[in-house]
């Protein structure tokens, strides 16, 4: 389950960021996960809970903003919404679509005290 | 699995590396001793979760480009025939270009042993509980292998059609191997992997008379997700179609070598 490695990556970014900051605890972490990224939000939550145990972020809330999938349709000549990598263009039903958004995998910010 | 933090990294072993003491990532524990209550505030981060892996992959790619080494990352479900194909490829191309292989498996050095039998160099990486290779493991394996300038480096990823799609290793291209006994619907079921790959190899073509596998449909599914994907059909067992595979590799290698010189 690669979400475990990604959750460790989140914690490492949080620990790097907090170094030298005057705070004692991380109370929330906000991620942006694209609908077309390699990550299943539920699996990420599960792994996150395992990874933060015993860390400065123990007990922190995980907030996940999902970015919608977007693609350029070569048939229609405009941008369309794309719910998954195997979906057709919602306007013309074709598969000549090129993903333009929804692959985000970012740590946005965190709440500390 | 590392019991301190629940990760698999503590068990990663790269063949040839001096044994290191098992190290735990140290998580900071200073929260326990803080006096009073400090005010809550938001700290902006805005960093890609994969930024560390991608940075290490960038270094791998840079090192390989400087040497004019073509690196291909072979991904598939377990048993599609990656090692069989690599052993044949090493035997066929090894006379023209030096071939080295990084073998990724959770356990055993069986696959690296099979490669070494062909005379090619190989390093086994055991990922322990890990379900994919990452750029750090591959960088360490490259330092063990010291590939020759102008050589071919094959990376056989852990057999898994899901997780390896997310991790850039610094390769020139991912090649997804699909054997005909797995069914033609795999590109639709595992689109992330077929989208990440530049080339799809349909292996075990010698079995086509015995299994209901629709090659045309499979290619259509793969191109739905990845219109530019190249498709090769071969049998690593009989050698049928290997000429096209070797020619494809040679084309990729020439492009890399041309850039290095
Ligand atoms: N009939 C047939 N069998 C093949 C072919 N290629 C590989 N095999 C057989 O498929 C089985 C798995 O082959 P491997 O090369 O070990 O597959 P792999 O992808 O390296 O497997 P893992 O590393 O365990 O994921 C072996 O029994 C091979 O002999 C082929 O082209 N045709
Ligand atoms: Mg193998
Ligand atoms: Zn359209």
């Amino acid at each position: 389950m690669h979400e475990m490695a990604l959750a460790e990556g989140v914690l490492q970014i949080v620990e790097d960021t907090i170094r030298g900051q005057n705070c004692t605890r991380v109370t929330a972490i906000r991620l942006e996960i694209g609908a077309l990224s390699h990550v299943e939000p539920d699996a990420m939550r599960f792994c996150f809970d395992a990874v933060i145990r015993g860390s400065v972020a123990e007990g922190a809330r995980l907030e996940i903003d999902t970015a919608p999938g977007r693609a350029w349709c070569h048939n229609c000549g405009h941008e369309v919404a794309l719910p998954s990598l195997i979906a057709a263009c919602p306007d013309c039903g074709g598969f000549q679509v090129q993903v333009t958004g929804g692959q985000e995998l970012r740590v946005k910010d965190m709440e500390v005290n | 699995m590392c019991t301190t933090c629940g990760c698999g990294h503590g068990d990663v072993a790269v063949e040839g590396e001096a044994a290191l003491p098992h190290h735990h990532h140290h998580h900071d524990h200073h929260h326990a001793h803080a006096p009073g209550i400090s005010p809550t505030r938001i700290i902006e981060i805005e960093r890609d979760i994969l930024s560390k892996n991608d940075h290490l992959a960038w270094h791998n790619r840079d090192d390989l480009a400087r040497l004019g080494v073509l690196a291909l990352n072979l991904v598939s479900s377990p048993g599609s025939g990656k090692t069989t194909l690599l052993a044949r490829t090493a035997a066929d191309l090894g006379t023209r270009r030096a071939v080295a292989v990084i073998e990724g498996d959770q356990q055993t050095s069986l696959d690296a042993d099979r490669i070494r039998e062909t005379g090619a160099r190989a390093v086994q990486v055991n990922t322990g509980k890990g379900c994919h290779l990452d750029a750090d493991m591959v960088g360490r394996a490259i330092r063990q292998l010291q590939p020759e300038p102008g050589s071919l480096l094959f990376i056989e990823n852990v057999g898994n059609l899901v997780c390896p799609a997310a991790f850039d290793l610094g390769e020139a291209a991912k090649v997804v191997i699909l054997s005909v006994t797995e069914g033609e619907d795999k590109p639709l079921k595992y689109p992330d992997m077929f989208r990440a790959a530049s080339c799809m190899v349909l292996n075990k073509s010698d079995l086509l008379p015995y299994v209901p596998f629709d090659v045309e449909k499979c290619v259509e599914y793969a191109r739905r997700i990845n219109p530019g994907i190249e498709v090769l059909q071969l049998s690593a067992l009989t050698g049928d179609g290997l000429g096209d595979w070797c020619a494809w590799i040679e084309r990729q290698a020439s492009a890399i070598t041309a850039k290095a010189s």
Side-chain angles (χ1 to χ4, degrees), chain B residues 10 27 32 63 79 108 123 127 173 185 198 226 249 253 259:
Chain B
H27 301 312
D63 292 347
T108 82
V123 160
T127 59
D185 55 2
S198 313
N226 185 351
I249 293 171
K259 254 188 260 168

Side-chain angles (χ1 to χ4, degrees), chain B residues 5 11 15 37 67 99 102 147 152 162-163 172 178 185 201 237 254:
Chain B
C5 59
D11 294 333
E15 218 180 352
I37 299 161
L67 288 168
V99 172
I102 297 171
L152 302 173
V162 182
C163 309
L178 178 62
D185 55 2
V201 170
L237 185 69
S254 312

Side-chain angles (χ1 to χ4, degrees), chain B residues 18-30:
Chain B
L20 294 169
H22 181 92
H23 82 280
H24 292 287
H25 325 241
H26 61 281
H27 301 312
D28 300 340
H29 289 271
H30 45 248

Side-chain angles (χ1 to χ4, degrees), chain A residues 1-2 4-6 8-19 21-25 27 31 36-38 44 50-51 53-56 85-86 95-97 99 103 105-113, chain B residues 1 4-9 25-31 34 38-52 131-132 160 162-163 165-167 187-189 191-192 195-196 220 223-225 227:
Chain A
M1 188 152 58
H2 60 287
M4 190 58 95
L6 297 178
E8 283 168 23
V10 171
L11 181 61
Q12 195 159 42
I13 288 170
V14 164
E15 288 180 342
D16 285 353
T17 311
I18 214 164
R19 202 157 296 138
Q21 297 267 357
N22 177 31
C23 54
T24 55
R25 246 169 60 79
T27 50
L31 308 181
L36 307 181
S37 73
H38 303 287
M44 178 56 105
V51 160
R53 233 167 275 151
S55 79
V56 67
L85 286 177
I86 62 168
F95 290 102
Q96 298 312 104
V97 290
V99 173
Q103 297 191 288
L105 264 189
R106 292 176 76 72
V107 187
K108 299 289 287 179
D109 53 36
M110 63 185 173
E111 187 187 85
V112 300
N113 62 32
Chain B
M1 187 182 292
T4 304
C5 59
C7 74
H9 282 197
H25 325 241
H26 61 281
H27 301 312
D28 300 340
H29 289 271
H30 45 248
H31 57 285
S38 41
T40 296
R41 65 185 196 280
I42 302 286
I43 299 178
E44 291 286 322
I45 301 179
E46 292 294 347
R47 268 179 67 188
D48 280 349
I49 296 176
L50 281 165
S51 52
K52 187 179 162 212
C131 49
H132 57 269
N160 177 339
V162 182
C163 309
F167 294 84
L188 293 185
K189 289 182 172 169
D192 291 50
R195 182 160 191 279
E220 189 222 310
R223 296 223 160 112
R224 240 188 230 182
I225 291 143

Side-chain angles (χ1 to χ4, degrees), chain B residues 110-249:
Chain B
L110 291 171
D111 280 1
D113 295 342
R114 281 166 69 189
I115 297 297
R116 284 190 278 254
E117 278 168 21
T118 70
R121 290 189 308 133
V123 160
Q124 182 76 47
V125 177
N126 285 136
T127 59
K129 301 292 177 198
C131 49
H132 57 269
L133 291 174
D134 65 31
D136 175 50
M137 300 173 198
V138 168
R140 286 159 61 188
I142 289 173
R143 285 189 284 282
Q144 290 302 319
L145 271 176
Q146 302 276 349
E148 289 173 35
S151 64
L152 302 173
L153 175 65
F154 294 99
I155 305 165
E156 180 179 336
N157 220 310
V158 180
N160 177 339
L161 263 183
V162 182
C163 309
F167 294 84
D168 184 6
L169 307 179
E171 72 274 358
K174 287 190 175 74
V175 177
V176 61
I177 319 286
L178 178 62
S179 55
V180 302
T181 51
E182 296 170 60
E184 70 268 343
D185 55 2
K186 292 301 164 290
L188 293 185
K189 289 182 172 169
Y190 301 97
D192 291 50
M193 189 62 92
F194 288 84
R195 182 160 191 279
S198 313
C199 179
M200 172 170 80
V201 170
L202 294 178
N203 188 30
K204 309 196 187 180
S205 62
D206 56 293
L207 298 178
L208 277 172
Y210 312 104
V211 289
F213 182 94
D214 189 331
V215 172
E216 225 170 282
K217 233 184 212 165
C218 183
V219 174
E220 189 222 310
Y221 291 158
R223 296 223 160 112
R224 240 188 230 182
I225 291 143
N226 185 351
I229 196 166
E230 295 203 52
V231 180
L232 296 166
Q233 187 177 314
L234 55 83
S235 167
L237 185 69
T238 66
D240 196 42
L242 274 179
D244 287 349
W245 162 244
C246 290
W248 183 83
I249 293 171

